[in-house]
């Protein structure tokens, strides 16, 4: 169970990176509006046209903007991973999460010492 939970935590991080990529690409795309404006002001209309026509609003993968990639990941792999981990946890660990960490906390804490309480 510990390794399955560890793998799920890695997938949480992957999901965060996908959302970061989504936001970064969106920000870059909005920056291209300024790039086109500055190129036109500098008299580089041909380059401005190329940026505007070939980059602005372009799919990052065939037929997909980043929001579509994130949605497909969330609805597919991520959802399946969460469902399987939850089922395994319920069947094999009585629904308990972070079993390894809870056991380690109990071993490593100093009983009776402030800041080392077992529970809130």
């Amino acid at each position: 169970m510990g390794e399955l939970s560890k793998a799920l935590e890695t997938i949480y991080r992957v999901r965060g990176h996908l959302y970061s990529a989504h936001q970064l690409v969106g920000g870059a795309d909005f920056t291209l509006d300024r790039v086109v404006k500055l190129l036109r002001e500098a008299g580089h209309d041909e380059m401005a046209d190329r940026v505007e026509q070939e980059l602005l609003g372009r799919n990052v993968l065939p037929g997909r903007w980043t929001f579509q990639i994130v949605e497909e990941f969330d609805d597919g792999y991520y959802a399946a991973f969460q469902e399987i981990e939850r089922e395994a946890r319920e069947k094999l660990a009585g629904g308990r999460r972070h079993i390894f960490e809870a056991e380690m906390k109990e071993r490593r804490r100093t009983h009776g010492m402030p800041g080392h309480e077992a529970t809130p």
Side-chain angles (χ1 to χ4, degrees), residues 17-67:
H17 288 299
L18 283 174
Y19 273 88
S20 291
H22 163 60
Q23 293 170 348
L24 289 168
V25 169
D29 191 68
F30 282 125
T31 299
L32 292 177
D33 291 327
R34 179 156 169 74
V35 169
V36 168
K37 179 181 180 277
L38 292 171
L39 285 169
R40 292 202 191 288
E41 287 173 1
H44 303 292
D45 288 333
E46 188 176 316
M47 186 55 65
D49 289 344
R50 184 149 189 230
V51 169
E52 190 171 50
Q53 294 166 10
E54 295 182 36
L55 286 179
L56 195 66
R58 184 184 181 116
N59 291 326
V60 295
L61 292 175
R64 290 176 182 84
W65 274 20
T66 56
F67 78 91

Coordinates of all heavy atoms in Angstrom, one line a residue, residues 17-67:
H17 N 2.3 19.8 -12.4 CA 3.1 20.2 -13.5 C 2.3 20.5 -14.8 O 2.6 21.4 -15.5 CB 4.3 19.2 -13.8 CG 5.3 19.2 -12.7 ND1 6.1 20.3 -12.3 CD2 5.7 18.2 -11.9 CE1 6.9 20.0 -11.4 NE2 6.7 18.7 -11.0
L18 N 1.3 19.6 -15.0 CA 0.5 19.9 -16.2 C -0.2 21.2 -16.1 O -0.3 21.9 -17.1 CB -0.5 18.7 -16.4 CG 0.1 17.4 -17.0 CD1 -1.0 16.3 -17.0 CD2 0.6 17.7 -18.4
Y19 N -0.8 21.5 -14.9 CA -1.5 22.7 -14.7 C -0.5 23.9 -14.8 O -0.8 25.0 -15.4 CB -2.2 22.8 -13.4 CG -3.6 22.2 -13.5 CD1 -3.8 20.9 -13.3 CD2 -4.7 23.0 -13.8 CE1 -5.1 20.3 -13.4 CE2 -6.0 22.5 -13.9 CZ -6.2 21.2 -13.7 OH -7.4 20.6 -13.8
S20 N 0.7 23.7 -14.4 CA 1.8 24.8 -14.5 C 2.0 25.0 -16.0 O 2.1 26.2 -16.5 CB 3.1 24.4 -13.8 OG 2.9 24.4 -12.4
A21 N 2.2 23.9 -16.8 CA 2.4 24.1 -18.2 C 1.3 24.8 -18.9 O 1.4 25.7 -19.7 CB 2.7 22.7 -18.8
H22 N 0.1 24.4 -18.5 CA -1.2 25.0 -19.0 C -1.1 26.5 -18.8 O -1.4 27.3 -19.7 CB -2.4 24.4 -18.3 CG -3.6 25.1 -18.5 ND1 -4.2 25.4 -19.7 CD2 -4.5 25.6 -17.5 CE1 -5.4 26.1 -19.4 NE2 -5.5 26.2 -18.1
Q23 N -0.8 27.0 -17.6 CA -0.8 28.4 -17.3 C 0.4 29.1 -18.0 O 0.2 30.2 -18.4 CB -0.7 28.6 -15.8 CG -2.0 28.1 -15.1 CD -1.9 28.1 -13.6 OE1 -0.8 28.2 -13.0 NE2 -3.0 27.9 -12.9
L24 N 1.5 28.4 -18.0 CA 2.7 29.1 -18.7 C 2.5 29.2 -20.2 O 2.8 30.3 -20.7 CB 3.9 28.2 -18.4 CG 4.5 28.3 -17.0 CD1 5.5 27.2 -16.8 CD2 5.0 29.7 -16.6
V25 N 1.9 28.2 -20.8 CA 1.7 28.3 -22.3 C 0.6 29.4 -22.5 O 0.8 30.2 -23.4 CB 1.2 27.0 -22.9 CG1 0.7 27.1 -24.3 CG2 2.4 26.0 -22.8
G26 N -0.4 29.5 -21.7 CA -1.4 30.5 -21.8 C -0.8 31.9 -21.7 O -1.1 32.8 -22.4
G27 N 0.0 32.1 -20.7 CA 0.7 33.3 -20.5 C 1.6 33.7 -21.7 O 1.6 34.9 -22.1
A28 N 2.3 32.8 -22.2 CA 3.1 33.0 -23.4 C 2.3 33.4 -24.6 O 2.6 34.3 -25.3 CB 4.0 31.8 -23.7
D29 N 1.1 32.8 -24.7 CA 0.3 33.1 -25.8 C -0.2 34.5 -25.7 O -0.3 35.3 -26.7 CB -0.9 32.1 -25.9 CG -1.7 32.2 -27.2 OD1 -1.1 31.9 -28.3 OD2 -2.9 32.7 -27.1
F30 N -0.6 34.9 -24.5 CA -1.1 36.3 -24.3 C 0.1 37.3 -24.5 O -0.1 38.4 -25.0 CB -1.7 36.5 -22.9 CG -3.1 36.0 -22.8 CD1 -3.4 35.1 -21.8 CD2 -4.1 36.5 -23.7 CE1 -4.7 34.7 -21.7 CE2 -5.4 36.0 -23.6 CZ -5.7 35.1 -22.6
T31 N 1.3 36.9 -24.2 CA 2.5 37.8 -24.4 C 2.7 38.0 -25.9 O 3.2 39.0 -26.4 CB 3.7 37.2 -23.8 OG1 3.5 37.1 -22.4 CG2 5.0 38.0 -24.1
L32 N 2.3 37.0 -26.7 CA 2.4 37.2 -28.2 C 1.6 38.3 -28.7 O 2.0 38.9 -29.7 CB 2.0 35.9 -28.9 CG 3.0 34.7 -28.7 CD1 2.4 33.4 -29.4 CD2 4.4 35.0 -29.2
D33 N 0.5 38.7 -28.1 CA -0.2 39.9 -28.5 C 0.7 41.1 -28.5 O 0.7 41.9 -29.4 CB -1.4 40.1 -27.6 CG -2.5 39.1 -27.7 OD1 -2.7 38.6 -28.8 OD2 -3.2 38.8 -26.7
R34 N 1.4 41.2 -27.4 CA 2.4 42.4 -27.3 C 3.5 42.2 -28.3 O 3.9 43.2 -28.8 CB 2.9 42.4 -25.8 CG 3.9 43.6 -25.6 CD 4.0 44.0 -24.2 NE 5.1 44.9 -23.9 CZ 5.1 46.2 -24.3 NH1 4.1 46.7 -24.9 NH2 6.2 46.9 -24.0
V35 N 4.0 41.0 -28.5 CA 5.1 40.8 -29.5 C 4.6 41.3 -30.9 O 5.3 42.0 -31.5 CB 5.5 39.3 -29.5 CG1 6.4 39.0 -30.7 CG2 6.1 38.9 -28.2
V36 N 3.4 40.9 -31.2 CA 2.9 41.4 -32.6 C 2.8 42.9 -32.6 O 3.2 43.5 -33.6 CB 1.5 40.7 -32.8 CG1 0.8 41.4 -34.0 CG2 1.6 39.2 -33.0
K37 N 2.3 43.5 -31.6 CA 2.2 45.0 -31.5 C 3.5 45.6 -31.7 O 3.7 46.6 -32.4 CB 1.5 45.4 -30.2 CG 1.3 46.9 -30.0 CD 0.7 47.2 -28.7 CE 0.5 48.6 -28.4 NZ 1.7 49.3 -27.9
L38 N 4.5 45.1 -30.9 CA 5.9 45.7 -30.9 C 6.5 45.5 -32.3 O 7.2 46.4 -32.8 CB 6.7 45.1 -29.8 CG 6.3 45.5 -28.4 CD1 7.1 44.7 -27.4 CD2 6.5 47.0 -28.2
L39 N 6.4 44.4 -32.9 CA 6.9 44.1 -34.2 C 6.3 45.1 -35.2 O 7.0 45.6 -36.1 CB 6.7 42.7 -34.6 CG 7.6 41.6 -33.9 CD1 7.1 40.2 -34.2 CD2 9.1 41.8 -34.4
R40 N 5.0 45.3 -35.2 CA 4.4 46.2 -36.1 C 4.9 47.6 -35.9 O 5.1 48.3 -36.9 CB 2.8 46.1 -36.0 CG 2.3 44.8 -36.4 CD 0.8 44.9 -36.8 NE 0.3 43.5 -37.0 CZ 0.5 42.7 -38.0 NH1 1.3 43.1 -38.9 NH2 -0.1 41.5 -38.0
E41 N 5.0 48.0 -34.6 CA 5.5 49.4 -34.3 C 6.9 49.6 -34.8 O 7.3 50.7 -35.2 CB 5.4 49.7 -32.8 CG 4.0 49.9 -32.3 CD 4.0 50.0 -30.8 OE1 5.1 49.9 -30.1 OE2 2.9 50.1 -30.2
A42 N 7.7 48.5 -34.9 CA 9.1 48.6 -35.3 C 9.2 48.4 -36.8 O 10.3 48.4 -37.4 CB 9.9 47.5 -34.6
G43 N 8.0 48.3 -37.5 CA 8.0 48.2 -39.0 C 8.3 46.7 -39.5 O 8.6 46.6 -40.6
H44 N 8.1 45.7 -38.6 CA 8.4 44.4 -39.1 C 7.1 43.6 -39.2 O 6.8 42.6 -38.6 CB 9.3 43.6 -38.0 CG 10.6 44.3 -37.7 ND1 11.6 44.4 -38.7 CD2 11.0 45.0 -36.6 CE1 12.6 45.1 -38.2 NE2 12.3 45.4 -36.9
D45 N 6.3 44.1 -40.2 CA 5.0 43.6 -40.4 C 5.0 42.1 -40.8 O 4.1 41.3 -40.4 CB 4.2 44.4 -41.4 CG 3.8 45.7 -40.9 OD1 3.6 45.8 -39.7 OD2 3.6 46.7 -41.7
E46 N 6.0 41.7 -41.6 CA 6.0 40.3 -42.1 C 6.3 39.4 -40.9 O 5.6 38.3 -40.8 CB 7.2 40.2 -43.1 CG 7.2 38.8 -43.8 CD 8.3 38.7 -44.9 OE1 8.4 39.7 -45.7 OE2 9.0 37.7 -44.9
M47 N 7.2 39.7 -40.0 CA 7.4 38.9 -38.9 C 6.2 38.9 -37.9 O 5.8 37.9 -37.3 CB 8.7 39.3 -38.1 CG 9.0 38.4 -37.0 SD 9.2 36.6 -37.4 CE 10.6 36.7 -38.5
A48 N 5.6 40.1 -37.8 CA 4.4 40.2 -36.9 C 3.3 39.3 -37.5 O 2.6 38.6 -36.7 CB 3.9 41.6 -36.9
D49 N 3.1 39.3 -38.8 CA 2.1 38.4 -39.4 C 2.4 37.0 -39.2 O 1.5 36.2 -38.9 CB 2.0 38.7 -41.0 CG 1.4 40.0 -41.3 OD1 0.8 40.6 -40.5 OD2 1.7 40.4 -42.5
R50 N 3.6 36.6 -39.2 CA 4.0 35.2 -39.0 C 3.7 34.8 -37.6 O 3.1 33.7 -37.3 CB 5.5 35.0 -39.3 CG 5.9 33.6 -39.2 CD 7.0 33.2 -40.2 NE 7.1 31.7 -40.1 CZ 8.3 31.1 -39.9 NH1 9.4 31.8 -39.8 NH2 8.3 29.8 -39.9
V51 N 4.1 35.6 -36.6 CA 3.8 35.3 -35.2 C 2.3 35.2 -35.0 O 1.8 34.3 -34.4 CB 4.4 36.4 -34.3 CG1 3.9 36.2 -32.8 CG2 5.9 36.3 -34.3
E52 N 1.6 36.2 -35.6 CA 0.1 36.2 -35.4 C -0.6 35.0 -36.0 O -1.5 34.4 -35.4 CB -0.4 37.5 -36.0 CG -1.9 37.8 -35.7 CD -2.2 39.2 -36.1 OE1 -1.9 39.5 -37.3 OE2 -2.8 39.9 -35.3
Q53 N -0.1 34.6 -37.2 CA -0.8 33.6 -37.9 C -0.3 32.2 -37.5 O -1.1 31.2 -37.6 CB -0.6 33.8 -39.4 CG -1.3 35.0 -39.9 CD -0.9 35.4 -41.3 OE1 -0.2 34.7 -42.0 NE2 -1.3 36.6 -41.8
E54 N 0.9 32.0 -37.2 CA 1.5 30.7 -37.0 C 1.6 30.3 -35.5 O 1.6 29.1 -35.1 CB 2.9 30.5 -37.6 CG 2.8 30.6 -39.1 CD 4.1 30.4 -39.8 OE1 5.0 29.7 -39.3 OE2 4.4 31.1 -40.8
L55 N 1.7 31.3 -34.6 CA 1.9 31.0 -33.2 C 0.7 31.3 -32.3 O 0.3 30.5 -31.5 CB 3.1 31.7 -32.6 CG 4.5 31.2 -33.0 CD1 5.6 32.0 -32.4 CD2 4.6 29.7 -32.6
L56 N 0.1 32.5 -32.5 CA -1.0 33.0 -31.7 C -2.1 32.0 -31.8 O -2.6 31.7 -32.8 CB -1.4 34.4 -32.1 CG -2.3 35.2 -31.2 CD1 -1.5 35.5 -29.9 CD2 -2.7 36.5 -31.9
G57 N -2.5 31.4 -30.6 CA -3.7 30.5 -30.6 C -3.4 29.1 -31.2 O -4.3 28.4 -31.3
R58 N -2.2 28.8 -31.4 CA -1.8 27.5 -32.0 C -2.1 26.4 -31.0 O -1.9 26.5 -29.8 CB -0.3 27.5 -32.4 CG 0.1 26.3 -33.2 CD 1.6 26.4 -33.4 NE 2.0 25.2 -34.2 CZ 2.5 25.2 -35.4 NH1 2.7 26.3 -36.0 NH2 2.9 24.1 -36.0
N59 N -2.5 25.2 -31.6 CA -2.6 24.0 -30.8 C -1.2 23.6 -30.3 O -0.2 23.7 -31.1 CB -3.2 22.9 -31.6 CG -4.6 23.1 -31.9 OD1 -5.4 23.6 -31.1 ND2 -5.0 22.6 -33.1
V60 N -1.0 23.1 -29.1 CA 0.3 22.7 -28.6 C 0.5 21.2 -29.0 O 1.7 20.8 -29.1 CB 0.5 22.9 -27.1 CG1 0.5 24.4 -26.8 CG2 -0.5 22.2 -26.3
L61 N -0.6 20.5 -29.1 CA -0.6 19.1 -29.6 C -1.7 19.1 -30.7 O -2.6 19.9 -30.7 CB -0.8 18.1 -28.5 CG 0.2 17.9 -27.5 CD1 -0.2 16.9 -26.4 CD2 1.5 17.4 -28.1
P62 N -1.6 18.1 -31.6 CA -2.6 18.1 -32.7 C -4.1 18.2 -32.1 O -4.5 17.4 -31.3 CB -2.4 16.8 -33.4 CG -0.9 16.5 -33.2 CD -0.7 17.0 -31.8
G63 N -4.8 19.3 -32.5 CA -6.1 19.5 -32.1 C -6.4 19.9 -30.6 O -7.5 20.0 -30.2
R64 N -5.3 20.2 -29.9 CA -5.4 20.4 -28.5 C -4.7 21.7 -28.0 O -3.5 21.8 -28.3 CB -4.9 19.2 -27.7 CG -5.8 18.0 -27.8 CD -5.1 16.9 -27.0 NE -5.8 15.6 -27.1 CZ -5.7 14.8 -28.1 NH1 -4.9 15.0 -29.1 NH2 -6.5 13.7 -28.1
W65 N -5.4 22.4 -27.2 CA -4.8 23.4 -26.4 C -4.5 22.8 -25.0 O -4.9 21.6 -24.8 CB -5.8 24.6 -26.1 CG -5.7 25.7 -27.2 CD1 -5.3 25.5 -28.5 CD2 -6.2 27.0 -27.1 NE1 -5.4 26.7 -29.2 CE2 -6.0 27.6 -28.3 CE3 -6.8 27.7 -26.1 CZ2 -6.3 28.9 -28.6 CZ3 -7.1 29.0 -26.3 CH2 -6.9 29.6 -27.5
T66 N -3.8 23.4 -24.2 CA -3.3 22.8 -22.9 C -4.5 22.5 -22.0 O -4.5 21.5 -21.3 CB -2.3 23.7 -22.2 OG1 -2.9 25.0 -22.0 CG2 -1.0 23.8 -22.9
F67 N -5.6 23.2 -22.0 CA -6.7 22.9 -21.2 C -7.3 21.6 -21.5 O -7.8 20.8 -20.7 CB -7.8 24.0 -21.2 CG -8.7 24.0 -22.4 CD1 -9.9 23.3 -22.4 CD2 -8.4 24.7 -23.5 CE1 -10.7 23.3 -23.5 CE2 -9.2 24.8 -24.6 CZ -10.4 24.0 -24.6

